[in-house]
Amino acid sequence: MKRAVAILLPVLFLTAAYIYVWPTASVPYFAAVIVHALGGVALVVLLVLALEKILVGAAPATKGGWFLIAFGGTLGVMLIFTGTRRTEWPLLYVHIAACVVGAALILADWMGHHRGYAIGVHHPTATLLRCTFFLAVAAVASGGAYWLRKVPWERNHRIENPSIAPASMDNEGDGPSGPFFPSSAQTLHHGQIPASYFMESQSCERCHSDIYKQWQSSAHHFSSFNNAWYRKSIEYMQDVVGVKPSKWCAGCHDPALLYSGMFDRPIREVEDTPPGQAGLGCMMCHSIAQVKSTMGQADFELEYPALHKLAASKNPIVRRVHDYLTELNPEPHRRVFLKPFMRTQTAEFCSTCHKVHLDVPVNHYRWTRGFNDYDNWQASGVGWQGARSFYYPAKPMACPDCHMPAEKSADAGAIAGAVHSHRFPAANTALPFVNNDADQLDETTRFLTDKELSVDIFAISPEAPETKSKTNPSEVRAPAVASTPGIETTFAVGEESAASAPVAAPGSESAAEISQLTAPLDRSTASVRRDGTYRLDVVVRTRKMGHFFPGGTVDAFDCWLELSATDDKGRAIFWSGRAADDGKGPVDPGAHFYRSLLIDSHGNPINKRNAWSARATVYAHLIPPGAADTAHFRLQIPPDAGDRIHVVAKLNYRKFAWWNTQFSFASTVDPAHKDATTTPDFDDRRWLFTGDPPKVPGGVKGIPILPIVVVAQNAIDLNVLPAKSPEPSPAVQLNSDDWTRWNDYGIGLFLQGDLTGAAAAFTKVTQIDPKNPEGWVNLGRVRVQEGNLAAAREVLDRSLALRPDLARAHYFYSRVLRSEGQYDEAAGHLREVIKQYPRDRVVHDDLGRILFLQRRYIDAIAEFQSTLAIDPEDLEANYNLMLCYTGLNQSNRAAEFQKRYLRFKSDEAAQTLTGPYRRNHPEDNLERQPIHEHVSEPLAPPKAAPKKYTTSRARPSAPTAQLTTKGSD
């Protein structure tokens, strides 16, 4: 019996070491798990029968060791029945510790008695030293085992960018000959994956029922051809440019079709099959074994697990064996489906599908940035990585903090009784609406309205007469922030680039002088005169947003600011941003929109999810995270207005855009215009919305009338005075609770390039609280942008005196010093910023530029390489690396970065395409201007709507809600 015990102990410890250190989902590994479990049971049985004999005459250390082995073995038997989920980890580690300590004590005593090692056999001190030594060895070995288990695994599963971006899309993924190109996606085994693998989400339900139920309602579940809008966009894309370019979308939207090879066929042949309706299931995201970069575009590698068929087996015995082994030791399952970066680099993980670019294989044109929800998060203060933001949250936030909130659950994967919600609440109200999923729609609406943004009708001022700019041309200075080339993009550019700095508007376009304002309007009783004209300023602030508002495919939905005014007679006297047909129709084209407006090479708007035809951006009007937008409205008071006017501002959101919904559910080509043509560059055809909606998902009841969600709103009342009354005196209230409101007002003006108005607003912040460094540093931003270096130095000194470690003050101070040629001092301030924010790419670029100007090329290269580690597509870093290597006479290396610079650099000539479009669309031309005012739409009784909606080439110039315009929404 002793011999059996002597054999079992080494087997158990060897299998335990293998199981603990190298957990893998493989047959040999689970064979070791079974051997360990059965061996443990056998050992416990033997110890029950023979422990008394073993302990007879044994030394105290040996007795203690066997008692610990017996105790640990008993716990091990218990774990065979309970499994080793997270809730059983304390029991598991007590089991491990007891067995390791017990074995160390037994081995120490055995070594003391073994021939050749019997030194001080019965001497207490020697025994104590031996036990201490072997316990120390056991501790070191255990620590080494823990290191081997954790560190290499985590190191091998980090998301890191390459040192240089691909020179073309042909170098992305598997290249043009790859099965999934132009998606960058790859598989680890360089082959296809059966469609059935991506359709096995229900097998996850056995252990993760709450998560499975949440996912059932999510937008991820409806990412493919069970989504009418996506379905139509791919059908249209394949009709125009063919099958292969559409794989660019499939890498993230259609795993069951793409990775099985079914997407090689025209999509209409497979869109109604189960794989075409599968969406993004559990296996898609959780099978990503490696994310190769943060350049997006499905730049990941998928793993096809060897044992996955056991989990999805139709045989209940096989399924039960799989589930039991998973419960007994979940670590292999966890390592297959929950890589470290999914927890520690969540934003980088999400970037792989929430950041895209197009290039020649997709758009037959050139590299163009598509939507990008990652870079503006990474460069902002939300994640505590950007040094130059206006606001910072109390703690850094990443994607799951908003989009995967904790929900109570008893699932196997629950931690502290909660799981991260796999509803992925965000902004897609359309899918739950057409799916009749009230719970998901409520959750999405709750998310949108949960103080993510705020609206503040902040100020009013009388119309000022036309004046020339007060700026003396001789006093105009060059901005301290030198203009930089821009990246080619259909999206907005935020703090990830110095090119996002606003261009100063002429003085004549500045906001009304602060001395003319009445603000804030809820602190003052504002009055207006009949027959007078006033400007209302409305501030929209992003509060809990981690990226631009709106985010995602910002050319595809309606998001706008609506302002209405009604007098006490019940008469509407102003309305900008009304949705026609009581909210069922398109939005007033003269509204203040938040979107990206793109056109093709013939000036047709990109409104069919045909981003691959985009050739120019008319405007991209989005609000950065932790920032604000100040919208201006010209309010004309009628001569017969009542005594009070009630003003309401609403931030409205409708997914999807009205026109795109009509197109997706019921579009047909107008047969009356057979000569109209389409190519990958343009589509001149006209469309009728007379198709058959029941043929598409969610269209059973016809074209859906999508809900409009009021994300935020605000209301104020104005007193109305007789027309002959004196103009009411301005009234500015400075309340300590309002410093952020003045700050927000100034931010909105600043981002429009209204530096005069922004400086005045930020000055109010300093007056409210002179000890608040924010007002001074924001004044510094303005002065730096103006090129007023002396004034910038003065206010930044004030800010640093109040808070010497304020990184953004150091950053703007460096700009002042750099403009004065004080390169060493400027570099010192930038290094102080980098200590606090080592992942701010603009700071690295600025420091690299200073080092380049000092001809310290090697040091400059190191800084620009730090930028590329954050974003390989950074335009300024690629440009300056080209210059640095040229300075080092390394022409081949310089040529490589020149290729990248030219690849990413914007096509300025494309803006000529916007000229004819803007002449024909005056409302869009107005919205393009950084500083502009919105007027009311005509408030005459609306005409009857036509029986069917059609489209035409031109849009009338009157700001009325047109239902018959080509590409208008």
Side-chain angles (χ1 to χ4, degrees):
M1 193 169 289
K2 286 186 177 181
R3 181 180 295 274
V5 171
I7 293 172
L8 280 174
L9 273 180
V11 169
L12 287 169
F13 276 94
L14 286 174
T15 55
Y18 173 45
I19 291 169
Y20 183 78
V21 175
W22 294 289
T24 54
S26 65
V27 172
Y29 182 85
F30 282 109
V33 171
I34 294 171
V35 169
H36 185 79
L38 295 177
V41 172
L43 178 64
V44 170
V45 172
L46 290 174
L47 288 177
V48 169
L49 297 175
L51 185 60
E52 185 176 352
K53 293 181 180 180
I54 292 173
L55 296 180
V56 172
T62 300
K63 290 181 179 179
W66 281 113
F67 273 119
L68 286 172
I69 290 288
F71 174 66
T74 303
L75 294 181
V77 173
M78 292 174 59
L79 290 169
I80 290 175
F81 293 96
T82 64
T84 58
R85 295 180 179 181
R86 187 179 295 272
T87 52
E88 279 74 42
W89 279 7
L91 196 65
L92 172 65
Y93 280 100
V94 171
H95 159 72
I96 294 172
C99 292
V100 169
V101 172
L105 293 175
I106 293 170
L107 186 59
D109 195 57
W110 180 82
M111 291 293 287
H113 290 79
H114 193 272
R115 184 180 300 170
Y117 299 98
I119 302 172
V121 176
H122 302 294
H123 196 285
T125 303
T127 301
L128 179 60
L129 289 174
R130 284 197 308 273
C131 290
T132 302
F133 173 75
F134 279 97
L135 287 173
V137 170
V140 172
S142 298
Y146 182 81
W147 188 93
L148 288 172
R149 175 185 172 92
K150 294 275 291 183
V151 176
W153 169 250
E154 292 177 352
R155 283 180 178 173
N156 293 333
H157 292 88
R158 280 196 57 77
I159 300 173
E160 296 181 350
N161 282 311
S163 59
I164 189 170
S168 74
M169 187 173 265
D170 289 350
N171 304 118
E172 297 173 5
D174 288 324
S177 61
F180 316 128
F181 186 82
S183 170
S184 296
Q186 296 173 289
T187 58
L188 282 178
H189 65 290
H190 301 291
Q192 294 180 343
I193 299 176
S196 60
Y197 174 69
F198 298 100
M199 301 164 60
E200 294 169 355
S201 295
Q202 195 166 7
S203 65
C204 303
E205 184 184 14
R206 299 199 298 271
C207 294
H208 304 287
S209 58
D210 289 340
I211 289 176
Y212 176 77
K213 182 179 179 180
Q214 294 160 5
W215 166 82
Q216 284 273 46
S217 295
S218 72
H220 281 189
H221 183 197
F222 297 95
S223 69
S224 194
F225 297 96
N226 49 2
N227 175 333
W229 290 270
Y230 178 76
R231 177 185 183 122
K232 181 63 178 182
S233 70
I234 299 300
E235 290 175 348
Y236 173 79
M237 184 177 188
Q238 290 195 358
D239 289 344
V240 177
V241 296
V243 171
K244 188 165 186 175
S246 66
K247 291 183 179 182
W248 172 72
C249 308
C252 285
H253 281 267
D254 312 294
L257 296 177
L258 180 67
Y259 302 111
S260 65
M262 293 178 68
F263 212 94
D264 293 333
R265 298 159 59 184
I267 205 59
R268 286 184 174 86
E269 296 179 11
V270 295
E271 62 188 10
D272 289 321
T273 64
Q277 299 287 306
L280 279 179
C282 307
M283 304 304 175
M284 173 57 196
C285 295
H286 286 282
S287 293
I288 294 177
Q290 191 60 269
V291 176
K292 297 174 289 181
S293 75
T294 60
M295 290 182 282
Q297 202 68 20
D299 196 15
F300 52 68
E301 291 179 329
L302 284 175
E303 180 180 10
Y304 185 40
L307 302 182
H308 80 278
K309 290 184 179 179
L310 297 178
S313 172
K314 302 299 181 183
N315 187 318
I317 297 175
V318 173
R319 288 201 307 270
R320 183 60 198 136
V321 170
H322 168 274
D323 292 353
Y324 173 74
L325 290 175
T326 300
E327 291 170 1
L328 184 61
N329 186 355
E331 188 62 24
H333 178 79
R334 187 181 294 115
R335 293 203 170 195
V336 170
F337 293 114
L338 193 65
K339 298 298 190 289
F341 54 73
M342 297 180 186
R343 288 185 177 276
T344 61
Q345 295 178 284
T346 53
E348 287 73 18
F349 176 49
C350 296
S351 76
T352 193
C353 282
H354 290 268
K355 175 182 176 181
V356 301
H357 60 266
L358 302 84
D359 211 332
V360 175
V362 179
N363 63 7
H364 300 79
Y365 173 43
R366 56 154 297 159
W367 187 95
T368 302
R369 165 69 63 224
F371 83 91
N372 179 3
D373 286 336
Y374 172 73
D375 282 336
N376 50 93
W377 166 84
Q378 189 280 322
S380 75
V382 176
W384 283 16
Q385 296 187 42
R388 297 156 290 112
S389 292
F390 293 104
Y391 293 107
Y392 291 78
K395 62 179 182 178
M397 300 178 69
C399 310
D401 292 303
C402 294
H403 298 294
M404 298 184 72
E407 287 195 19
K408 291 182 180 180
S409 173
D411 273 6
I415 299 176
V419 295
H420 286 289
S421 175
H422 283 60
R423 287 182 181 274
F424 305 105
N428 196 321
T429 52
L431 289 174
F433 180 79
V434 297
N435 293 334
N436 294 315
D437 189 338
D439 289 342
Q440 182 73 4
L441 182 58
D442 287 346
E443 184 67 23
T444 305
T445 303
R446 188 180 306 114
F447 176 84
L448 282 169
T449 57
D450 187 26
K451 300 179 181 178
E452 300 290 327
L453 297 99
S454 63
V455 173
D456 186 4
I457 306 176
F458 182 73
I460 191 169
S461 56
E463 180 183 39
E466 292 283 339
T467 58
K468 294 183 179 180
S469 173
K470 299 178 181 179
T471 305
N472 188 330
S474 64
E475 296 177 355
V476 173
R477 307 173 177 88
V481 182
S483 61
T484 57
I487 198 169
E488 180 70 17
T489 182
T490 63
F491 204 70
V493 177
E495 292 171 271
E496 64 268 28
S497 172
S500 64
V503 177
S508 59
E509 295 184 14
S510 295
E513 295 182 7
I514 292 291
S515 61
Q516 299 301 311
L517 293 182
T518 295
L521 287 179
D522 62 341
R523 303 287 187 190
S524 306
T525 302
S527 299
V528 295
R529 295 188 305 175
R530 292 184 179 89
D531 214 19
T533 303
Y534 298 84
R535 190 174 81 171
L536 274 172
D537 294 332
V538 181
V539 178
V540 181
R541 156 95 179 270
T542 50
R543 293 189 174 274
K544 295 164 59 177
M545 297 286 295
H547 47 70
F548 276 112
F549 174 79
T553 52
V554 292
D555 60 311
F557 35 78
D558 290 328
C559 184
W560 75 101
L561 185 61
E562 176 185 359
L563 188 81
S564 61
T566 307
D567 67 11
D568 52 9
K569 300 176 182 178
R571 182 179 60 165
I573 65 170
F574 184 96
W575 205 336
S576 171
R578 175 165 54 178
D581 197 14
D582 294 326
K584 301 174 184 178
V587 181
D588 165 19
H592 189 70
F593 285 102
Y594 296 105
R595 64 177 179 179
S596 178
L597 177 59
L598 316 172
I599 58 174
D600 65 23
S601 64
H602 280 195
N604 303 303
I606 300 298
N607 52 14
K608 297 176 281 295
R609 297 301 302 119
N610 52 327
W612 36 271
S613 288
R615 295 297 180 265
T617 301
V618 178
Y619 64 81
H621 188 198
L622 313 177
I623 310 176
D629 175 57
T630 301
H632 312 293
F633 297 87
R634 184 180 292 261
L635 176 63
Q636 177 70 46
I637 310 300
D640 57 347
D643 296 328
R644 298 273 291 178
I645 294 175
H646 186 65
V647 183
V648 179
K650 297 178 181 179
L651 180 61
N652 295 322
Y653 182 91
R654 175 168 61 188
K655 182 151 187 170
F656 291 85
W658 178 88
W659 199 97
N660 186 251
T661 297
Q662 312 301 307
F663 176 78
S664 299
F665 281 81
S667 61
T668 59
V669 176
D670 187 348
H673 300 274
K674 298 180 180 179
D675 296 336
T677 58
T678 182
T679 74
D681 298 305
F682 62 86
D683 186 348
D684 289 338
R685 293 176 294 177
R686 300 184 181 184
W687 298 88
L688 304 177
F689 302 140
T690 56
D692 187 5
K695 290 186 177 180
V696 297
V700 176
K701 297 180 180 179
I703 304 175
I705 301 171
L706 297 180
I708 295 174
V709 177
V710 179
V711 177
Q713 63 181 316
N714 185 227
I716 57 101
D717 288 310
L718 302 173
N719 292 327
V720 181
L721 303 177
K724 295 183 179 180
S725 297
E727 189 66 59
S729 300
V732 169
Q733 300 291 328
L734 299 182
N735 188 301
S736 60
D737 294 333
D738 292 335
W739 80 264
T740 58
R741 298 175 68 188
W742 282 101
N743 204 45
D744 296 342
Y745 182 60
I747 292 168
L749 298 177
F750 176 76
L751 294 178
Q752 294 171 2
D754 184 356
L755 303 184
T756 302
F762 293 142
T763 298
K764 293 300 180 186
V765 177
T766 67
Q767 292 172 356
I768 290 172
D769 183 3
K771 295 183 179 180
N772 183 350
E774 300 297 339
W776 300 112
V777 77
N778 285 338
L779 267 175
R781 293 176 193 263
V782 175
R783 300 311 180 202
V784 166
Q785 195 62 28
E786 289 174 337
N788 189 342
L789 302 183
R793 182 189 290 269
E794 178 184 352
V795 294
L796 292 171
D797 278 335
R798 295 284 297 269
S799 180
L800 288 171
L802 292 166
R803 188 172 163 187
D805 64 342
L806 189 59
R808 46 197 179 277
H810 281 284
Y811 173 77
F812 291 112
Y813 211 106
S814 76
R815 286 294 179 115
V816 173
L817 294 169
R818 173 177 157 184
S819 297
E820 294 175 342
Q822 300 183 57
Y823 293 154
D824 288 337
E825 293 82 356
H829 282 273
L830 290 174
R831 290 190 178 96
E832 177 62 31
V833 178
I834 289 173
K835 286 180 185 177
Q836 300 178 50
Y837 297 94
R839 285 179 55 80
D840 189 312
R841 64 189 80 182
V842 172
V843 179
H844 282 292
D845 282 341
D846 277 17
L847 181 54
R849 185 65 182 177
I850 287 173
L851 295 170
F852 168 78
L853 294 173
Q854 294 178 313
R855 299 191 178 185
R856 295 168 56 184
Y857 300 130
I858 301 299
D859 293 335
I861 287 171
E863 292 301 326
F864 293 125
Q865 287 176 336
S866 295
T867 296
L868 295 189
I870 301 167
D871 178 17
E873 296 164 326
D874 186 87
L875 188 69
E876 188 165 349
N878 280 285
Y879 172 73
N880 282 289
L881 282 166
M882 173 187 73
L883 298 182
C884 288
Y885 282 111
T886 299
L888 292 172
N889 293 318
Q890 297 183 27
S891 57
N892 290 338
R893 192 69 175 152
E896 290 300 313
F897 287 102
Q898 182 185 33
K899 291 177 185 176
R900 276 73 180 174
Y901 170 68
L902 294 176
R903 183 187 184 200
F904 305 137
K905 180 179 176 295
S906 64
D907 177 8
E908 293 93 344
Q911 281 299 300
T912 59
L913 295 173
T914 69
Y917 177 87
R918 289 187 286 129
R919 285 193 293 272
N920 291 326
H921 300 77
E923 303 92 351
D924 293 331
N925 183 51
L926 178 73
E927 194 68 11
R928 175 186 167 100
Q929 311 311 312
I931 304 174
H932 59 273
E933 293 181 348
H934 293 272
V935 298
S936 176
E937 65 173 25
L939 295 176
K943 297 179 180 179
K947 292 183 179 180
K948 67 177 182 179
Y949 297 125
T950 61
T951 59
S952 61
R953 281 301 302 271
R955 177 157 68 188
S957 59
T960 56
Q962 288 290 321
L963 307 186
T964 59
T965 62
K966 179 179 180 181
S968 170
D969 58 0

